[in-house]
Amino acid sequence: MRKSLPAIGLNHDAIFAQMTAMTAHDADWRRGRIPLYVFKGNETVGEIGRDAFVRFFNENGLGGKRAFLGLKKMEDEVLEIGMTLFRAPGDAAGYFTTGGSESIIVAVKACRDFARKRRGNPRLRGNLVMPYSAHPAFTKAAMLMDLETRRVPVATDYRADIAAMEQAIDGDTLMLVGSAPCFPYGTIDPITELGELAQRRDLWLHVDACVGGYIAPFAAKAGYAIPEFDFSIPGVMSLSADLHKFGFCPKPASTIFYRSADAAGFQPFDVDDWPGGRFTTATIAGTRPGGAIAGAWATLHAMGEEGYVNTAGQIMEVARAYRRDVEASGLQVIGEPDLSILAFTSREVDMHAVSEGMARRGWVPGVVRQPFGLHLMLSMLHAPAREDYIRDLRSALDEARTSGIHRVGTDASY
Ligand SMILES: *Cc1c(COP(=O)(O)O)cnc(C)c1O
């Protein structure tokens, strides 16, 4: 039977009891059993972000200019912090969005409209040239705007293949994409070379730093060798970075930045032909949760530079420890991951079977394909879970080795 509204509203306790029951069989993210979807820096800061979110629960980012001036100030400061972090020029501009997907979709829209104007063709559709490892959000953007996507196989090091990407460019190419890092392999594409290619071919380069943006600069400051990926590289026109990933801010929160105010000016939607008056919004979302903006401002201020650098260092150590144990279990890490995303495979054991074995042992197995392997995106949630993970991984490996089951049919899904 289809559910309908309860005839009379339930009380607080009844509601929470039902929700607790409904989620009783959810995966246990608090104990690090999920290698994606949820992030942790530290307990105290998590609480400050949550408190700020709840305090501004009712405010609406849409009303920032006319009603919620304080919220607007917080939003502007969050964006300034991001522009400083990514070494954007003085003339740069950015926007606060609901997530990496929205940041990418609006960047593609800005790039398309920029190209339409510059090339004097208001109907230009064009194509996006990206490594095969780029996030599906670029394909979503292309679907929405009827653009063509050209996904180019990655090089043997699982990073963008510059020569192959150049081959894919033609007169209708609008954008080149590089990831810092890409989600599947955790590798940072050669952004400096992509920047040179973009300049040589007079194209817009978007850097997708959704997952890496708020950890990579701090990992570098903590002493790790991290390839360059930001606006200090000529040719980078826009950069997306998600606060709700390794910025540890409450969801939904992401940022999108442009090298110049002129480029940023192609993002907003300016609508005037309706009875409600001129409606100008930079984002796809109209109403936006005030809590996300306040939560981000509070989290950035609670962490501070020192907090992010220390946490990045700790997370890099967690990733190193996982990598060491994974390799000691006879598995091969795919490529050379730059941050705390790690994918690994096996030359002898069917990783589909290992993945199913991990699921049976209470883990949500993150997976990757080409080659098929397990995938981890590690934060402080996973530090205490490492020994259990490796123990279960070894037992799933033994089981897969002895059972000889092949291709049990799991495919990769996000
Ligand atoms: C997470 C992610 C995105 C999309 O972000 P959402 O917040 O999930 O919409 C885009 N690119 C990369 C590399 C990501 O890891």
Side-chain angles (χ1 to χ4, degrees):
M1 234 195 29
R2 179 184 282 160
K3 172 106 178 164
S4 57
L5 274 174
I8 302 168
L10 309 180
N11 66 28
H12 180 280
D13 290 354
I15 286 168
F16 281 83
Q18 283 200 26
M19 292 195 297
T20 303
M22 287 169 99
T23 52
H25 302 293
D26 280 13
D28 194 353
W29 62 268
R30 288 182 185 79
R31 286 176 57 237
R33 265 51 181 173
I34 309 185
L36 68 170
Y37 307 134
V38 198
F39 300 80
K40 181 182 169 182
N42 75 65
E43 208 72 55
T44 329
V45 172
E47 278 166 22
I48 292 173
R50 192 172 58 208
D51 289 352
F53 191 103
V54 173
R55 167 112 141 69
F56 287 86
F57 184 77
N58 290 296
E59 277 81 348
N60 184 344
L62 179 61
K65 283 204 186 102
R66 299 181 61 210
F68 309 117
L69 308 183
L71 203 60
K72 175 77 168 69
K73 183 155 176 56
M74 292 179 217
E75 183 171 7
D76 290 344
E77 290 191 3
V78 167
L79 294 168
E80 284 179 28
I81 289 170
M83 288 188 279
T84 306
L85 190 63
F86 301 123
R87 298 183 284 189
D91 180 37
Y95 304 98
F96 192 103
T97 72
T98 57
S101 300
E102 189 182 14
S103 290
I104 288 168
I105 291 166
V106 289
V108 171
K109 186 262 187 199
C111 169
R112 183 203 61 176
D113 289 357
F114 175 87
R116 282 182 168 181
K117 181 158 182 227
R118 274 189 66 197
R119 302 182 197 179
N121 177 3
R123 295 263 154 260
L124 177 67
R125 288 231 189 82
N127 62 66
L128 314 174
V129 172
M130 65 189 89
Y132 181 60
S133 55
H135 195 273
F138 292 97
T139 301
K140 280 188 174 178
M143 286 170 163
L144 286 165
M145 287 172 259
D146 197 18
L147 311 174
E148 184 198 339
T149 51
R150 298 188 174 175
R151 286 183 180 266
V152 177
V154 291
T156 49
D157 60 358
Y158 296 92
R159 299 178 201 268
D161 182 335
I162 306 291
M165 280 179 70
E166 181 156 23
Q167 288 285 311
I169 296 170
D170 66 14
D172 286 337
T173 300
L174 304 173
M175 175 185 267
L176 300 180
V177 175
S179 307
C182 68
F183 180 79
Y185 310 117
T187 45
I188 297 182
D189 289 324
I191 305 298
T192 304
E193 287 81 356
L194 281 171
E196 282 163 13
L197 176 59
Q199 288 202 300
R200 185 148 37 84
R201 303 296 294 260
D202 196 19
L203 291 169
W204 179 304
L205 172 61
H206 178 85
V207 173
D208 179 10
C210 278
V211 68
Y214 289 99
I215 185 170
F218 303 115
K221 284 196 172 135
Y224 295 85
I226 310 290
E228 301 275 345
F229 66 95
D230 67 13
F231 287 104
S232 60
I233 298 171
V236 175
M237 278 292 277
S238 55
L239 182 151
S240 49
D242 293 349
L243 292 160
H244 64 202
K245 288 179 181 159
F246 290 98
F248 311 113
C249 298
K251 303 175 197 60
S254 171
T255 48
I256 172 72
F257 302 104
Y258 297 89
R259 174 172 291 280
S260 66
D262 175 50
F266 287 92
Q267 179 181 316
F269 303 83
D270 191 352
V271 180
D272 208 8
D273 60 339
W274 78 310
R278 189 168 175 193
F279 189 86
T280 314
T281 43
T283 50
I284 296 171
T287 292
R288 294 183 295 126
I293 295 166
W297 191 93
T299 304
L300 292 171
H301 285 78
M303 289 292 285
E305 166 114 3
E306 182 192 42
Y308 278 116
V309 172
N310 288 342
T311 307
Q314 286 163 13
I315 292 177
M316 291 298 283
E317 284 313 305
V318 170
R320 248 185 206 181
Y322 268 86
R323 177 173 183 164
R324 186 196 58 218
D325 292 351
V326 160
E327 288 180 332
S329 311
L331 296 161
Q332 290 81 45
V333 168
I334 301 172
E336 277 299 319
D338 289 299
L339 293 158
S340 72
I341 289 178
L342 192 68
F344 52 90
T345 188
S346 167
R347 289 198 203 94
E348 31 136 14
V349 183
D350 180 2
M351 291 304 282
H352 293 81
V354 178
S355 163
E356 299 219 331
M358 290 303 278
R360 276 197 303 277
R361 288 166 176 79
W363 303 85
V364 174
V367 284
V368 67
R369 52 184 183 200
Q370 289 199 355
F372 191 91
L374 292 191
H375 184 274
L376 293 167
M377 178 161 59
L378 301 162
S379 73
M380 293 317 286
L381 281 170
H382 307 100
R386 192 181 91 243
E387 282 176 15
D388 286 355
Y389 182 87
I390 297 299
R391 186 198 60 226
D392 286 348
L393 179 63
R394 288 183 180 162
S395 110
L397 271 167
D398 286 342
E399 193 179 68
R401 234 180 241 120
T402 50
S403 76
I405 301 172
H406 289 290
R407 292 267 150 191
V408 256
T410 4
D411 194 7
S413 67
Y414 192 136

